[in-house]
Amino acid sequence: MKNYFFTSKILLFGEYVILENYSGLSIPNHFYTGYLKFPSVFRYYNNKQFNYTNHELRKFAFFLKKTRINIDFNKLYNDLNKGIIFSSNIPKGYGIGSSGALVAAIYHKYYIAPQPQQQKGQLSMNNIIALKQIFSQMESYFHGISSGMDPLICYLNKPILIKSKNDITIVNLPKKLNQNIGKGAIFLLNSGFPKRTYSMIKIFFNKLQNTQFKKIFIKEFIQYNNKCIVSFLQGNFKILFHNIKIISFWILKYLNTMIPKQILKIWKYGLLNNIFYLKLCGSGGGGFTIGFTYDYDLSKKKLKKYQTIVIFRF
């Protein structure tokens, strides 16, 4: 890869669904990025920096050395001795891939086995799965267990459609999406504090033990999620917003413990007034929430107490 900067990622659709091996759509997010640098290299960020220090990278390197991943450790330790760090504006604990970007950067710079070749700008599914497996091993250092999806998105810098753990493809986004132009928007809403991923996932799996909840989850939530993915990729925002509104209500009814208390009131306000619809970004419980609106300027006024970051305009 020619680009030495690695993006954050957003699981646009598929929160909790992909844990049960159903469909999700994850996209790179260029507002937040990170890169490996030496102390003499300076880059200015408008946002707060969330660096992985040289000491943290050394602990990660020690972990990698115990695996069978083909890392050039001579080069890695030589750079560590020169003081290399991972400089990033990706907030940690916000569900947008701070560790995924780091893993992608280490892989890119120090992996020495033959890296997968693209044909006509695309990787084969087998190559994508192989990359995902390597990234899963690497990122397990940070989370205990990792699917490898976050670093995969950060590394490829392309939208990924996940149909199952062994059916993953690169997809194109609708042409009508734009970063700066359009009245409507898909945006991130900052809850103001990090999420508690492990505790949220534990709550969810406890809910799945309830036969009735699991039945409703599969019959309803997964179906709405799939419709959102299809309509989004087709650029059909009328159908997308219809199903996003249903998902937002569904989460409010069945997964309200995942909604941070600080934004519960505005979550309901947006729904009841049809100004914006909020949904979880990953596990919930903090970090970012994803918003959908036909009128971003109006939504921003109503959300003036919160930081909002545009993902797409349309």
Side-chain angles (χ1 to χ4, degrees):
M1 293 177 66
K2 294 180 180 179
N3 184 9
Y4 290 87
F5 288 79
F6 294 89
T7 68
S8 56
K9 63 85 198 180
I10 297 170
L11 183 61
L12 199 58
F13 306 106
E15 63 277 13
Y16 291 107
V17 170
I18 60 173
L19 295 178
E20 290 294 290
N21 207 28
Y22 291 101
S23 297
L25 178 65
S26 193
I27 61 172
N29 175 34
H30 298 91
F31 187 86
Y32 293 109
T33 61
Y35 70 113
L36 291 165
K37 75 168 188 178
F38 294 100
S40 59
V41 179
F42 176 81
R43 179 176 174 82
Y44 176 74
Y45 276 126
N46 290 324
N47 297 71
K48 182 179 179 181
Q49 287 184 297
F50 298 89
N51 296 334
Y52 283 90
T53 66
N54 185 267
H55 178 66
E56 288 174 306
L57 294 190
R58 285 180 183 275
K59 291 193 293 183
F60 184 36
F62 180 76
F63 166 83
L64 291 175
K65 201 157 189 177
K66 294 186 290 184
T67 70
R68 294 185 177 181
I69 300 170
N70 295 317
I71 297 293
D72 187 341
F73 288 103
N74 288 333
K75 181 179 179 182
L76 175 55
Y77 279 107
N78 184 51
D79 287 347
L80 286 170
N81 290 335
K82 292 179 182 178
I84 199 168
I85 66 169
F86 184 71
S87 183
S88 164
N89 67 343
I90 309 172
K92 298 178 183 179
Y94 273 64
I96 58 171
S98 60
S99 62
L102 168 59
V103 167
I106 293 292
Y107 172 88
H108 167 70
K109 190 171 181 65
Y110 301 107
Y111 189 72
I112 55 177
Q115 297 192 5
Q117 298 297 313
Q118 297 191 35
Q119 295 181 350
K120 296 182 180 180
Q122 296 289 337
L123 289 172
S124 70
M125 186 183 297
N126 287 338
N127 281 334
I128 291 174
I129 297 298
L131 268 176
K132 178 176 172 290
Q133 291 172 343
I134 293 170
F135 290 146
S136 175
Q137 293 181 65
M138 294 177 70
E139 201 185 29
S140 65
Y141 168 77
F142 298 96
H143 304 302
I145 298 175
S146 168
S147 68
M149 281 305 308
D150 285 8
L152 182 67
I153 303 297
C154 299
Y155 178 73
L156 295 179
N157 192 22
K158 294 179 182 294
I160 297 287
L161 175 61
I162 309 140
K163 293 184 178 178
S164 72
K165 62 182 179 181
N166 293 317
D167 189 352
I168 303 169
T169 54
I170 296 171
V171 293
N172 294 318
L173 297 178
K175 293 181 179 180
K176 62 179 67 177
L177 294 176
N178 192 289
Q179 197 70 38
N180 302 306
I181 301 173
K183 187 175 182 180
I186 302 174
F187 60 93
L188 292 175
L189 173 70
N190 190 341
S191 68
F193 61 95
K195 59 176 60 187
R196 307 180 308 278
T197 300
Y198 176 77
S199 60
M200 292 296 103
I201 291 176
K202 185 177 180 180
I203 291 171
F204 173 74
F205 279 116
N206 285 338
K207 282 180 172 288
L208 277 186
Q209 300 302 311
N210 183 303
T211 304
Q212 185 63 26
F213 173 81
K214 186 170 185 177
K215 182 179 179 181
I216 295 171
F217 178 72
I218 294 173
K219 184 179 179 180
E220 297 182 4
F221 189 78
I222 288 174
Q223 297 306 313
Y224 302 140
N225 177 73
N226 291 344
K227 289 178 181 179
C228 283
I229 293 173
V230 172
S231 57
F232 173 78
L233 291 177
Q234 291 176 343
N236 191 330
F237 290 96
K238 183 177 181 180
I239 295 177
L240 172 64
F241 271 70
H242 172 75
N243 287 288
I244 281 294
K245 183 177 181 179
I246 295 172
I247 281 183
S248 190
F249 266 119
W250 200 97
I251 294 171
L252 184 63
K253 182 176 180 180
Y254 294 105
L255 297 176
N256 54 17
T257 53
M258 279 74 171
I259 302 174
K261 293 180 180 179
Q262 289 83 346
I263 65 170
L264 185 58
K265 185 176 180 180
I266 59 168
W267 186 299
K268 295 177 181 178
Y269 178 85
L271 267 174
L272 295 175
N273 293 280
N274 291 305
I275 298 174
F276 53 84
Y277 307 129
L278 300 178
K279 65 182 287 293
L280 302 179
C281 180
S283 63
F288 287 113
T289 299
I290 304 177
F292 297 78
T293 181
Y294 277 119
D295 190 336
Y296 181 66
D297 290 339
L298 175 60
S299 296
K300 195 171 182 179
K301 289 180 182 178
K302 301 298 182 181
L303 297 167
K304 60 183 179 181
K305 294 182 180 180
Y306 303 87
Q307 179 194 28
T308 58
I309 300 163
V310 171
I311 306 172
F312 300 118
R313 299 294 293 258
F314 58 89

